[in-house]
Amino acid sequence: MLMPIILKSRDEISTMRESGRILAETLQLVGERVRPGVIERELDEVARKEFRRRGVIPTFLGYQGYPATVCVSINDEIVHGIPGDREIMDGDVVSIDLGCTYQGFVADSAVTVGAGKLTPEARRLIEVTREALWRGISAARGGSRIGEIGASIQTYVEEQGFSVVREYVGHGVGRQMHEDPQIPNYGTPDSGPVLKPGMVIAIEPMVNTGGWRTKRDDDNWTVRTLDGSLSAHFEHTLAITEGEPEVLTLP
Ligand code: MF3
Ligand code: CO
């Protein structure tokens, strides 16, 4: 299906700024809750209540039948874990993905936090994935090609001895959660469309300590590493400008 890339007006970006700020503050609340002994569902509840209090819509809830407000993906789970009755354990690598819709505009962001005492490898995975996102953001300038984002992410991650997930990618975002173009976290700098001011995109590297291949659980949502290695995920929504992009999902 061919969808034109949607450019946002200044007014629309102002609304997205507000959507992004609400999302970032809520995601921070949820992230602060992560510690050993907490039940996944409690994280969903924190997000749901905060969204209700602020009058924004939980974008994920009901999306293609998705049954929750947040995604909670632990250890070898990469993305789209459904929060359930599982207890978070000491040493867990916990990825939280969240989206909200404010006045019709979607913001999308994810963080990975550790619960209790992490192994040195788990700590390094989280730091490398966070840095990979920021390298991708720095490459997202008006006039550059989308491939430059993935190339800078992949180069950095592989230098660090980790791998980048291929089957799931970033995306345009705004009027809908998933708009064109796709934003891969890998590839060559001379590929993809040219970034233009007014484009709003979500960059979301998923990084594994082992190989990049994935599998999906029988629940048809939870995506995990094929080899059982650890995975982390960070995501920001940002607006493309003439120069440095404006990150919309900072608290
Ligand atoms: N943040 C995810 C993405 O960018 C969306 C989660 S899928 C949902 O694709 F079903 F939970 F909404
Ligand atoms: Co996303």
Side-chain angles (χ1 to χ4, degrees):
M1 189 183 61
L2 207 61
M3 202 194 349
I5 292 170
I6 302 169
L7 298 181
K8 276 78 180 181
S9 67
R10 294 175 63 94
D11 282 355
E12 289 171 332
I13 288 177
S14 297
T15 308
M16 289 212 65
R17 223 172 252 142
E18 186 60 13
S19 186
R21 199 177 56 80
I22 293 167
L23 179 69
E25 290 175 2
T26 307
L27 185 55
Q28 184 168 299
L29 263 184
V30 178
E32 285 166 356
R33 266 301 196 96
V34 171
R35 57 187 148 70
V38 168
I39 307 298
E40 287 178 328
R41 251 185 235 292
E42 295 171 16
L43 301 177
D44 202 69
E45 210 166 285
V46 170
R48 193 157 25 87
K49 285 189 176 150
E50 187 66 8
F51 278 175
R52 193 179 309 131
R53 194 176 75 77
R54 291 169 174 266
V56 299
I57 295 167
T59 313
F60 296 180
L61 184 65
Y63 178 83
Q64 292 180 6
Y66 186 75
T69 294
V70 298
C71 300
V72 181
S73 309
I74 299 181
N75 294 335
D76 65 320
E77 297 173 359
I78 301 169
V79 286
H80 303 170
I82 301 170
D85 296 321
R86 181 171 48 164
E87 182 182 333
I88 293 170
M89 308 299 279
D90 188 48
D92 276 354
V93 172
V94 183
S95 300
I96 302 162
D97 194 347
L98 190 60
C100 77
T101 307
Y102 168 75
Q103 293 185 3
F105 284 90
V106 179
D108 188 7
S109 185
V111 290
T112 300
V113 296
K117 189 165 165 47
L118 297 197
T119 65
E121 185 187 51
R123 259 204 310 272
R124 196 165 70 83
L125 172 67
I126 293 174
E127 285 323 307
V128 165
T129 311
R130 189 202 315 277
E131 172 66 17
L133 170 57
W134 281 102
R135 295 206 177 197
I137 290 170
S138 299
R141 304 173 72 94
S144 299
R145 296 185 72 165
I146 281 170
E148 296 185 39
I149 298 172
S152 44
I153 291 172
Q154 183 181 13
T155 301
Y156 171 68
V157 167
E158 292 179 355
E159 270 169 19
Q160 298 298 316
F162 295 146
S163 72
V164 166
V165 170
R166 314 279 201 269
E167 286 114 323
Y168 301 86
V169 297
H171 48 91
V173 60
R175 296 174 191 277
Q176 297 173 59
M177 178 159 62
H178 294 139
E179 296 176 356
D180 274 350
Q182 293 200 344
I183 315 285
N185 300 296
Y186 58 91
T188 57
D190 58 352
S191 62
V194 174
L195 291 159
K196 290 193 174 61
M199 284 173 61
V200 179
I201 60 173
I203 304 180
E204 50 178 318
M206 289 143 272
V207 175
N208 302 344
T209 57
W212 56 266
R213 290 180 189 280
T214 71
K215 62 182 175 198
R216 208 148 53 127
D217 283 3
D218 289 338
D219 66 12
N220 264 314
W221 281 106
T222 313
V223 178
R224 55 179 87 231
T225 59
L226 187 63
D227 59 13
S229 65
L230 291 178
S231 190
H233 178 213
F234 281 85
E235 174 175 24
H236 274 307
T237 294
L238 48 127
I240 302 304
T241 72
E242 306 278 349
E244 287 281 300
E246 181 182 346
V247 180
L248 302 174
T249 42
L250 290 174

Coordinates of all heavy atoms in Angstrom, one line a residue, residues 119-184:
T119 N 23.5 -7.5 35.6 CA 24.8 -7.9 35.2 C 25.4 -6.8 34.4 O 24.8 -5.9 33.8 CB 24.7 -9.1 34.3 OG1 24.1 -8.8 33.0 CG2 23.9 -10.3 34.9
P120 N 26.8 -6.8 34.4 CA 27.5 -5.7 33.6 C 27.0 -5.7 32.1 O 26.9 -4.7 31.5 CB 29.0 -6.1 33.7 CG 29.1 -6.9 35.0 CD 27.8 -7.6 35.1
E121 N 26.8 -6.9 31.6 CA 26.3 -7.0 30.2 C 25.0 -6.3 30.0 O 24.8 -5.6 29.0 CB 26.3 -8.5 29.7 CG 26.0 -8.6 28.2 CD 25.7 -10.0 27.7 OE1 24.9 -10.7 28.3 OE2 26.4 -10.3 26.7
A122 N 24.1 -6.6 30.9 CA 22.7 -6.0 30.8 C 22.8 -4.5 30.9 O 22.1 -3.8 30.1 CB 21.8 -6.5 31.9
R123 N 23.7 -4.0 31.8 CA 23.8 -2.5 32.0 C 24.4 -1.9 30.7 O 23.9 -0.9 30.2 CB 24.8 -2.2 33.1 CG 24.0 -1.8 34.4 CD 24.9 -1.0 35.3 NE 26.2 -1.6 35.5 CZ 26.5 -2.5 36.5 NH1 25.5 -2.8 37.3 NH2 27.7 -3.1 36.6
R124 N 25.4 -2.6 30.1 CA 26.0 -2.1 28.9 C 25.0 -2.1 27.7 O 24.9 -1.2 26.9 CB 27.2 -2.9 28.5 CG 28.1 -2.2 27.5 CD 29.5 -2.9 27.5 NE 29.5 -4.2 26.9 CZ 29.5 -4.5 25.6 NH1 29.6 -3.5 24.7 NH2 29.5 -5.7 25.2
L125 N 24.2 -3.2 27.6 CA 23.1 -3.3 26.6 C 22.2 -2.0 26.6 O 21.9 -1.4 25.6 CB 22.3 -4.5 26.8 CG 21.1 -4.6 25.8 CD1 21.5 -4.8 24.4 CD2 20.2 -5.8 26.2
I126 N 21.8 -1.7 27.8 CA 20.8 -0.6 28.0 C 21.5 0.7 27.6 O 20.9 1.5 26.8 CB 20.3 -0.5 29.5 CG1 19.4 -1.7 29.7 CG2 19.5 0.8 29.7 CD1 18.9 -1.8 31.2
E127 N 22.7 0.9 28.0 CA 23.5 2.2 27.7 C 23.7 2.2 26.2 O 23.6 3.3 25.6 CB 24.8 2.3 28.5 CG 24.5 2.7 29.9 CD 23.4 3.7 30.1 OE1 23.4 4.7 29.4 OE2 22.5 3.4 30.9
V128 N 24.1 1.1 25.6 CA 24.4 1.1 24.1 C 23.1 1.4 23.3 O 23.1 2.2 22.3 CB 25.0 -0.2 23.7 CG1 25.0 -0.4 22.1 CG2 26.5 -0.3 24.2
T129 N 22.0 0.9 23.8 CA 20.7 1.1 23.0 C 20.3 2.5 23.2 O 19.8 3.1 22.2 CB 19.6 0.1 23.5 OG1 20.2 -1.2 23.6 CG2 18.4 0.1 22.6
R130 N 20.4 3.1 24.4 CA 20.1 4.5 24.6 C 20.9 5.4 23.7 O 20.4 6.3 23.0 CB 20.3 4.9 26.0 CG 19.8 6.3 26.4 CD 20.4 6.9 27.6 NE 20.6 6.0 28.7 CZ 19.6 5.7 29.6 NH1 18.5 6.3 29.5 NH2 19.8 4.8 30.5
E131 N 22.3 5.1 23.6 CA 23.2 5.9 22.8 C 22.9 5.7 21.3 O 22.9 6.6 20.5 CB 24.6 5.5 23.1 CG 25.7 6.1 22.2 CD 25.8 7.6 22.3 OE1 25.3 8.2 23.3 OE2 26.4 8.2 21.4
A132 N 22.5 4.5 20.9 CA 22.1 4.2 19.5 C 21.0 5.1 19.1 O 21.0 5.6 18.0 CB 21.8 2.7 19.3
L133 N 20.0 5.2 20.0 CA 18.8 6.1 19.6 C 19.3 7.5 19.4 O 18.9 8.2 18.4 CB 17.8 6.0 20.7 CG 16.6 7.1 20.6 CD1 15.9 7.0 19.3 CD2 15.7 6.9 21.8
W134 N 20.2 8.0 20.3 CA 20.6 9.4 20.2 C 21.5 9.6 18.9 O 21.5 10.6 18.3 CB 21.3 9.9 21.4 CG 20.3 10.2 22.4 CD1 19.8 9.5 23.5 CD2 19.4 11.4 22.4 NE1 18.8 10.1 24.1 CE2 18.5 11.2 23.5 CE3 19.3 12.5 21.6 CZ2 17.5 12.2 23.8 CZ3 18.3 13.5 21.9 CH2 17.5 13.3 22.9
R135 N 22.3 8.6 18.5 CA 23.0 8.7 17.3 C 22.1 8.7 16.1 O 22.3 9.5 15.1 CB 24.0 7.5 17.2 CG 25.0 7.6 18.2 CD 26.3 6.9 17.9 NE 27.3 7.1 19.0 CZ 28.5 6.9 18.8 NH1 29.1 6.5 17.7 NH2 29.3 7.1 19.9
G136 N 21.0 7.9 16.2 CA 20.0 8.0 15.1 C 19.3 9.4 15.0 O 19.1 9.9 13.9
I137 N 19.0 9.9 16.2 CA 18.4 11.2 16.2 C 19.3 12.3 15.6 O 18.9 13.1 14.8 CB 18.0 11.6 17.7 CG1 16.9 10.7 18.2 CG2 17.6 13.1 17.8 CD1 16.6 10.8 19.7
S138 N 20.6 12.2 15.9 CA 21.5 13.2 15.4 C 21.6 13.1 13.9 O 22.0 14.1 13.2 CB 22.9 13.0 16.0 OG 22.9 13.2 17.4
A139 N 21.4 12.0 13.3 CA 21.5 11.8 11.9 C 20.2 12.2 11.2 O 20.2 12.3 9.9 CB 21.8 10.3 11.5
A140 N 19.1 12.6 11.9 CA 17.8 12.8 11.3 C 17.7 14.3 11.1 O 16.9 15.0 11.8 CB 16.7 12.3 12.3
R141 N 18.4 14.8 10.1 CA 18.3 16.3 9.8 C 17.6 16.5 8.4 O 17.8 15.6 7.5 CB 19.7 16.8 9.7 CG 20.6 16.6 10.9 CD 22.0 17.0 10.7 NE 22.1 18.5 10.7 CZ 22.4 19.2 11.7 NH1 22.6 18.7 12.9 NH2 22.4 20.5 11.6
G142 N 16.9 17.6 8.3 CA 16.3 17.9 7.0 C 17.4 17.9 5.9 O 18.5 18.4 6.1
G143 N 17.1 17.2 4.8 CA 18.0 17.1 3.7 C 18.8 15.8 3.7 O 19.3 15.4 2.6
S144 N 18.9 15.2 4.8 CA 19.5 13.9 4.9 C 18.6 12.8 4.4 O 17.4 12.9 4.4 CB 20.0 13.5 6.3 OG 20.9 14.5 6.8
R145 N 19.2 11.6 4.1 CA 18.3 10.5 3.7 C 18.1 9.6 4.9 O 18.9 9.6 5.9 CB 19.0 9.7 2.6 CG 19.1 10.5 1.3 CD 19.7 9.7 0.2 NE 18.7 8.7 -0.3 CZ 18.8 8.1 -1.4 NH1 19.8 8.3 -2.2 NH2 17.9 7.2 -1.8
I146 N 16.9 9.0 4.9 CA 16.5 8.1 6.0 C 17.5 7.0 6.3 O 17.7 6.7 7.5 CB 15.1 7.6 5.8 CG1 14.1 8.7 6.1 CG2 14.8 6.3 6.6 CD1 12.7 8.4 5.7
G147 N 18.2 6.5 5.3 CA 19.2 5.5 5.5 C 20.3 5.9 6.4 O 21.0 5.1 7.1
E148 N 20.6 7.2 6.5 CA 21.6 7.7 7.4 C 21.3 7.4 8.9 O 22.2 7.2 9.7 CB 21.9 9.2 7.2 CG 22.4 9.5 5.8 CD 22.8 11.0 5.6 OE1 23.4 11.6 6.5 OE2 22.5 11.5 4.5
I149 N 20.0 7.4 9.2 CA 19.6 7.1 10.6 C 20.0 5.7 10.9 O 20.8 5.4 11.9 CB 18.1 7.3 10.8 CG1 17.7 8.8 10.5 CG2 17.7 6.8 12.2 CD1 16.2 9.0 10.5
G150 N 19.6 4.7 10.1 CA 19.8 3.3 10.3 C 21.3 3.0 10.3 O 21.8 2.2 11.1
A151 N 22.0 3.7 9.4 CA 23.4 3.4 9.2 C 24.2 3.8 10.5 O 25.1 3.1 11.0 CB 24.0 4.1 8.0
S152 N 23.8 5.0 11.0 CA 24.6 5.4 12.2 C 24.2 4.5 13.4 O 25.1 4.2 14.3 CB 24.4 6.9 12.5 OG 23.0 7.2 12.4
I153 N 23.0 4.1 13.5 CA 22.6 3.2 14.6 C 23.3 1.8 14.5 O 24.0 1.3 15.4 CB 21.1 2.9 14.6 CG1 20.4 4.2 15.0 CG2 20.7 1.8 15.5 CD1 18.8 4.2 14.9
Q154 N 23.2 1.2 13.3 CA 23.8 -0.1 13.1 C 25.3 -0.1 13.3 O 25.9 -1.0 13.9 CB 23.5 -0.6 11.7 CG 24.0 -2.0 11.4 CD 23.7 -2.6 10.0 OE1 23.3 -1.8 9.2 NE2 23.9 -3.9 9.8
T155 N 26.0 0.9 12.7 CA 27.5 1.0 12.8 C 27.9 1.0 14.3 O 28.7 0.2 14.7 CB 28.0 2.2 12.1 OG1 27.6 2.2 10.8 CG2 29.5 2.3 12.2
Y156 N 27.2 1.9 15.1 CA 27.6 2.0 16.5 C 27.3 0.7 17.2 O 28.1 0.2 18.0 CB 26.8 3.2 17.1 CG 26.9 3.2 18.6 CD1 28.2 3.5 19.2 CD2 25.9 2.9 19.4 CE1 28.3 3.5 20.6 CE2 26.0 2.9 20.8 CZ 27.2 3.2 21.4 OH 27.3 3.2 22.7
V157 N 26.1 0.1 17.0 CA 25.7 -1.1 17.8 C 26.6 -2.2 17.5 O 27.1 -3.0 18.4 CB 24.2 -1.4 17.5 CG1 23.9 -2.8 18.0 CG2 23.3 -0.4 18.1
E158 N 27.0 -2.4 16.2 CA 27.8 -3.6 15.9 C 29.2 -3.4 16.4 O 29.9 -4.3 16.8 CB 27.7 -3.9 14.4 CG 26.3 -4.4 14.0 CD 26.0 -4.7 12.6 OE1 26.9 -4.4 11.7 OE2 24.9 -5.2 12.3
E159 N 29.7 -2.1 16.4 CA 31.0 -1.8 17.0 C 31.1 -2.3 18.4 O 32.1 -2.7 18.9 CB 31.3 -0.3 17.0 CG 32.0 0.3 15.8 CD 31.9 1.8 15.8 OE1 31.7 2.4 16.9 OE2 32.1 2.4 14.7
Q160 N 29.9 -2.2 19.1 CA 29.8 -2.5 20.5 C 29.6 -4.0 20.7 O 29.5 -4.5 21.8 CB 28.7 -1.8 21.2 CG 28.9 -0.3 21.1 CD 30.1 0.2 21.9 OE1 30.4 -0.3 23.0 NE2 30.9 1.1 21.3
G161 N 29.5 -4.8 19.6 CA 29.4 -6.3 19.7 C 28.0 -6.8 19.8 O 27.8 -7.9 20.1
F162 N 27.0 -5.9 19.6 CA 25.6 -6.3 19.7 C 25.0 -6.3 18.3 O 25.6 -5.9 17.4 CB 24.9 -5.3 20.7 CG 25.3 -5.3 22.1 CD1 25.3 -4.2 22.9 CD2 25.8 -6.5 22.7 CE1 25.7 -4.2 24.2 CE2 26.2 -6.6 24.0 CZ 26.1 -5.4 24.8
S163 N 23.7 -6.7 18.3 CA 23.1 -6.7 16.9 C 21.8 -5.9 17.0 O 21.1 -5.7 18.0 CB 22.8 -8.1 16.5 OG 21.7 -8.7 17.3
V164 N 21.3 -5.4 15.8 CA 20.2 -4.6 15.6 C 19.0 -5.4 15.0 O 19.2 -6.1 14.0 CB 20.5 -3.4 14.7 CG1 19.2 -2.7 14.2 CG2 21.4 -2.4 15.3
V165 N 17.9 -5.4 15.6 CA 16.7 -6.1 15.1 C 16.3 -5.6 13.7 O 16.3 -4.3 13.5 CB 15.5 -6.0 16.1 CG1 14.2 -6.5 15.5 CG2 15.9 -6.8 17.4
R166 N 16.0 -6.5 12.8 CA 15.7 -6.0 11.4 C 14.1 -6.0 11.1 O 13.6 -5.3 10.3 CB 16.3 -7.0 10.3 CG 17.7 -7.3 10.6 CD 18.6 -6.2 10.1 NE 20.0 -6.8 9.8 CZ 21.0 -6.8 10.7 NH1 20.8 -6.3 11.9 NH2 22.2 -7.3 10.4
E167 N 13.4 -7.0 11.8 CA 12.0 -7.2 11.4 C 11.1 -6.1 11.9 O 9.9 -6.1 11.5 CB 11.5 -8.5 11.9 CG 12.1 -9.7 11.0 CD 13.0 -10.6 11.9 OE1 13.7 -10.1 12.7 OE2 13.0 -11.8 11.7
Y168 N 11.5 -5.3 12.8 CA 10.7 -4.2 13.4 C 11.4 -2.9 13.2 O 12.7 -2.9 13.4 CB 10.3 -4.5 14.8 CG 9.5 -5.8 14.9 CD1 10.2 -7.0 15.0 CD2 8.2 -5.9 14.8 CE1 9.6 -8.3 15.0 CE2 7.5 -7.1 14.8 CZ 8.2 -8.3 14.9 OH 7.5 -9.5 14.9
V169 N 10.7 -1.9 12.8 CA 11.4 -0.6 12.4 C 10.7 0.6 13.0 O 9.5 0.5 13.5 CB 11.5 -0.5 10.9 CG1 12.3 -1.6 10.3 CG2 10.1 -0.5 10.3
G170 N 11.3 1.7 13.0 CA 10.6 3.0 13.3 C 9.7 3.4 12.2 O 9.6 2.7 11.2
H171 N 9.1 4.6 12.3 CA 8.0 4.9 11.4 C 7.6 6.4 11.5 O 7.9 7.0 12.5 CB 6.7 4.1 11.8 CG 6.5 4.1 13.3 ND1 5.7 5.0 13.9 CD2 7.0 3.3 14.3 CE1 5.7 4.8 15.2 NE2 6.5 3.8 15.5
G172 N 6.9 6.9 10.5 CA 6.3 8.2 10.6 C 5.2 8.1 11.7 O 4.7 7.0 11.9
V173 N 4.9 9.2 12.3 CA 3.9 9.2 13.4 C 3.2 10.5 13.4 O 3.8 11.6 13.0 CB 4.5 8.8 14.7 CG1 5.6 9.8 15.1 CG2 3.5 8.6 15.9
G174 N 1.9 10.6 14.0 CA 1.3 11.9 14.1 C -0.2 11.7 14.1 O -0.9 11.5 15.1
R175 N -0.8 11.7 12.8 CA -2.3 11.5 12.7 C -2.6 10.1 13.0 O -3.7 9.8 13.5 CB -2.8 11.9 11.3 CG -2.6 13.3 11.0 CD -2.9 13.5 9.5 NE -2.5 14.8 9.1 CZ -3.2 15.9 9.3 NH1 -4.4 15.9 10.0 NH2 -2.8 17.1 8.9
Q176 N -1.7 9.2 12.7 CA -1.8 7.8 13.1 C -0.5 7.3 13.8 O 0.5 7.9 13.6 CB -2.0 6.9 11.9 CG -3.3 7.2 11.1 CD -3.4 6.5 9.8 OE1 -3.3 5.2 9.8 NE2 -3.4 7.2 8.7
M177 N -0.6 6.2 14.5 CA 0.6 5.7 15.1 C 1.6 5.3 14.1 O 2.8 5.5 14.3 CB 0.3 4.5 16.0 CG 1.5 3.9 16.7 SD 1.2 3.0 18.2 CE 0.2 1.6 17.5
H178 N 1.2 4.6 13.0 CA 2.2 4.2 12.0 C 1.8 4.9 10.7 O 0.8 4.6 10.0 CB 2.1 2.7 11.8 CG 2.6 2.0 13.1 ND1 2.0 0.8 13.6 CD2 3.6 2.2 13.9 CE1 2.6 0.4 14.6 NE2 3.6 1.3 14.9
E179 N 2.7 5.8 10.3 CA 2.6 6.5 9.0 C 3.9 6.1 8.2 O 4.9 5.7 8.8 CB 2.5 8.0 9.2 CG 1.2 8.4 9.9 CD 1.2 9.9 10.2 OE1 2.2 10.7 9.9 OE2 0.2 10.4 10.7
D180 N 3.8 6.4 6.9 CA 5.0 6.3 6.1 C 5.9 7.5 6.5 O 5.4 8.5 7.0 CB 4.7 6.3 4.6 CG 4.4 4.9 4.1 OD1 4.6 4.0 4.8 OD2 3.9 4.9 3.0
P181 N 7.2 7.4 6.4 CA 8.0 6.3 5.9 C 8.4 5.4 7.0 O 8.3 5.7 8.2 CB 9.3 7.0 5.4 CG 9.4 8.2 6.3 CD 8.1 8.6 6.7
Q182 N 8.9 4.2 6.7 CA 9.5 3.3 7.6 C 10.9 3.8 7.9 O 11.6 4.4 7.1 CB 9.6 1.9 7.1 CG 8.3 1.2 6.9 CD 8.3 -0.3 6.8 OE1 9.4 -0.9 6.6 NE2 7.2 -0.9 7.0
I183 N 11.3 3.6 9.2 CA 12.7 4.1 9.6 C 13.4 2.9 10.2 O 13.4 2.6 11.4 CB 12.6 5.2 10.7 CG1 11.5 6.2 10.5 CG2 13.9 5.8 11.0 CD1 11.8 7.2 9.4
P184 N 14.2 2.2 9.3 CA 14.9 1.0 9.7 C 16.1 1.4 10.6 O 16.6 2.6 10.5 CB 15.5 0.4 8.4 CG 14.8 1.1 7.3 CD 14.3 2.4 7.8

